[in-house]
Amino acid sequence: MADLTKHYGEVVAVAGIDLEIRQGEFFTMLGPSGSGKTTTLRMIAGFEDPSSGTVELAGRNVGGIPPYDRAVNTVFQDYALFPHMTVSENVAYGLRVAGVAKGERARRGEEALEMVRLPGYGDRKPAELSGGQRQRVALARAIVNRPKVLLLDEPLGALDLKLREQMQAELKSIQGEVGITFVYVTHDQDEALTMSDRIAVFNEGVIEQVSSPFKLYEEPATEFVAGFVGVSNVLERDGARFTIRPEKIQLVENGAAPDGVHTERGRIAEIAYVGMVTRYTVSLDAGGKVELIRQNTESAAEDVGSMRGKEVVVGWRPEHAVAVRDGTTNEEGSP
Ligand code: ADP
Ligand code: MG
């Protein structure tokens, strides 16, 4: 994709993005609602024409080529299976339209069902399946004709958390097995971090950062990324802005910080016991607030409420303070 834009009248849905997705990778577009992810996906699929810029698939400019002539399939959140058809018929539908012979259709349909861990479900109707199983049928239908690229737009959005987490792991391993490039859209940062080889963070029609999950979390490039993928914890000291992840900040007991740890004084503004950890928000004397978490390994204070307002010293290693840019957009309302 090169300098891709899409306008709807006054609305700029996609404001000039450059992106190169590698063959065989699990690539995720992550961003809040309205940031331009679906529009970008629809331009790759060919459902939407760019206002300007180009999309290439396998080195070929696909401008003007209709969706069915691109080696791309799409899986949507509302998987839209045909209710009157069996699972097999649903999966093999595209093959039938393409004129593939009956025996071949059945063989490849069953193979696709095996890939999505639903062997033997071919004779059921969609209504006889659970939500997760239906989503797998939609996936089988999308991979049965072996596209080069599979586009997935919030495919797990309708599932409850437990099932979603299970499907995340399965989708990832299915992708590895079939070797198809996945371009995955989600607004859920945990989902993006667990599944992806690389992630592009969208904000108001532009991409703020493209990197591996590890780098995205450990070295967010902008304030927006720091806040969207985790807790922002942005501080300004001597004109420089930086962010520190909550788990990198320690509460220093008795004023004795280990060597090399930068310390600051502050006051506990908020505190919450959340089972595995206790979460503190500390207002710093030098300005700004940080959130930090402490594992409740030894013992947790039972009456956390009484600690509000208490003076504390917090510390972090200088290498964990990561410089951030302002980002590509105006962020009104940020401190
Ligand atoms: P996302 O998928 O990240 O939630 P979208 O790509 O759907 O975001 O939308 C990006 C922006 O474009 C939003 O402001 C949305 O309202 C607008 N938009 C999307 N599709 C249309 C359309 N068909 N007509 C007008 N505006 C649209
Ligand atoms: Mg969307």
Side-chain angles (χ1 to χ4, degrees):
M1 273 163 269
D3 202 19
L4 200 62
T5 71
K6 181 70 187 180
H7 303 239
Y8 294 105
E10 298 277 274
V11 178
V12 183
V14 176
I17 61 171
D18 293 287
L19 206 53
E20 204 170 311
I21 297 171
R22 297 169 193 147
Q23 197 181 336
E25 87 176 319
F26 197 121
F27 190 91
T28 296
M29 299 180 181
L30 170 69
S33 172
S35 58
K37 308 178 300 291
T38 294
T39 305
T40 302
L41 213 63
R42 290 174 61 81
M43 288 192 282
I44 301 174
F47 297 128
E48 210 76 70
D49 287 326
S51 303
S52 65
T54 52
V55 176
E56 287 184 7
L57 289 168
R60 185 171 75 131
N61 185 336
V62 291
I65 296 175
Y68 51 83
D69 278 338
R70 303 185 179 194
V72 167
N73 272 338
T74 309
V75 178
F76 302 98
Q77 179 177 329
D78 49 5
Y79 11 85
L81 300 175
F82 300 114
H84 57 285
M85 291 185 187
T86 65
V87 165
S88 286
E89 287 164 345
N90 265 286
V91 171
Y93 179 77
L95 299 176
R96 202 176 85 198
V97 172
V100 175
K102 195 172 177 187
E104 173 79 1
R105 279 199 323 252
R107 194 184 61 74
R108 283 170 60 182
E110 189 54 34
E111 196 179 277
L113 284 174
E114 271 168 34
M115 274 180 197
V116 300
R117 332 264 196 259
L118 281 180
Y121 279 69
D123 291 335
R124 297 212 195 175
K125 290 281 178 65
E128 297 167 311
L129 303 175
S130 70
Q133 289 171 334
R134 261 179 267 170
Q135 189 52 281
R136 278 184 241 201
V137 175
L139 184 65
R141 185 175 61 179
I143 61 178
V144 74
N145 64 349
R146 297 289 165 89
K148 287 207 167 61
V149 181
L150 192 63
L151 308 174
L152 303 102
D153 195 350
E154 314 240 5
L156 308 182
L159 308 178
D160 63 50
L161 182 62
K162 267 258 161 65
L163 189 55
R164 205 159 73 220
E165 286 174 350
Q166 184 196 334
M167 284 294 290
Q168 286 167 6
E170 282 190 19
L171 266 181
K172 174 85 181 155
S173 76
I174 290 168
Q175 190 264 343
E177 286 165 34
V178 297
I180 296 171
T181 308
F182 273 31
V183 182
Y184 192 94
V185 162
T186 184
H187 64 269
D188 180 332
Q189 57 275 30
D190 290 338
E191 188 162 296
L193 292 175
T194 17
M195 300 176 84
S196 318
D197 294 317
R198 287 191 306 151
I199 300 169
V201 180
F202 278 63
N203 181 24
E204 300 188 7
V206 298
I207 293 175
E208 298 241 345
Q209 186 171 4
V210 182
S211 68
S212 67
F214 180 85
K215 282 207 89 167
L216 200 65
Y217 186 79
E218 300 284 330
E219 294 167 29
T222 66
E223 292 196 35
F224 177 80
V225 174
F228 194 72
V229 186
V231 170
S232 71
N233 274 355
V234 172
L235 293 177
E236 186 168 338
R237 297 284 181 269
D238 307 320
R241 295 176 80 78
F242 58 91
T243 182
I244 319 145
R245 292 306 188 190
E247 68 278 10
K248 303 288 197 310
I249 304 176
Q250 31 183 302
L251 271 184
V252 180
E253 311 270 5
N254 313 320
D259 269 0
V261 170
H262 167 85
T263 59
E264 295 200 6
R265 295 191 164 278
R267 214 174 263 279
I268 297 177
E270 279 166 59
I271 181 166
Y273 171 78
V274 260
M276 233 192 286
V277 298
T278 299
R279 186 184 298 138
Y280 300 75
T281 305
V282 177
S283 291
L284 298 173
D285 293 356
K289 273 184 189 176
V290 287
E291 187 175 312
L292 65 99
I293 53 174
R294 194 174 232 209
Q295 290 232 313
N296 295 328
T297 32
E298 300 287 318
S299 59
E302 193 178 345
D303 181 19
V304 292
S306 68
M307 292 170 72
R308 203 167 284 120
K310 199 173 157 237
E311 283 189 20
V312 289
V313 174
V314 298
W316 57 81
R317 300 201 158 271
E319 65 267 30
H320 291 144
V322 177
V324 286
R325 291 185 278 117
D326 223 0
T328 10
T329 55
N330 279 332
E331 282 173 67
E332 288 169 57
S334 59

